[in-house]
Amino acid sequence: MQKLSELDHQRRIRLVDLHEPQFERDYPHIDRNAALAALHGELPDGQVLKGLDTSHRAWSLVGRGWLTAPLRWPLLRLVADGCYRLFARHRYRISLWLTGRARCDGNRCGPKT
């Protein structure tokens, strides 16, 4: 997310912390637990994207959609979406394994500041 934000020179993407108290007020139509389980994105017309569809749209907005486009091709989409669900379910453990840093502290998970 940090790299995506750095590349978003035109500020087309707004990243939202699901743990902020105003999340439920600002996004009553998005279930917090579902959004914690899989990346969610909302388009200007109100359409909600999930998982790799969200990632592809975000990277496309910063001019890097070609990196994620193959993941949306019909034959690869099924495999990629399955891998994404597996990764999303275990992302904090994977992050700990890869970086040696835990992303969860008590009941709160997310980036360490």
Side-chain angles (χ1 to χ4, degrees):
M1 291 299 158
Q2 181 179 346
K3 185 62 174 175
L4 185 64
S5 187
E6 290 170 9
L7 292 170
D8 187 15
H9 304 294
Q10 296 180 12
R11 299 293 169 235
R12 299 170 108 190
I13 300 168
R14 183 171 53 155
L15 300 176
V16 176
D17 184 347
L18 300 172
H19 300 286
E20 292 298 323
Q22 70 271 13
F23 174 80
E24 289 178 335
R25 182 196 67 211
D26 295 344
Y27 302 94
H29 54 288
I30 297 177
D31 179 81
R32 182 190 313 254
N33 289 327
L36 285 167
L39 188 62
H40 280 53
E42 184 175 15
L43 301 178
D45 68 2
Q47 178 186 0
V48 175
L49 302 176
K50 298 177 185 175
L52 291 176
D53 288 331
T54 305
S55 293
H56 177 58
R57 181 62 64 100
W59 286 104
S60 295
L61 288 171
V62 299
R64 302 283 174 94
W66 56 271
L67 291 169
T68 56
L71 301 176
R72 304 296 75 206
W73 295 346
L75 292 177
L76 292 178
R77 182 182 198 112
L78 293 173
V79 174
D81 286 347
C83 290
Y84 173 80
R85 284 189 296 276
L86 184 64
F87 168 79
R89 187 176 311 125
H90 301 288
R91 69 188 179 277
Y92 296 117
R93 276 183 243 146
I94 292 168
S95 180
L96 175 62
W97 178 68
L98 291 175
T99 67
R101 293 185 353 221
R103 298 284 190 245
C104 296
D105 181 19
N107 291 328
R108 182 182 164 101
C109 292
K112 294 288 186 187
T113 56

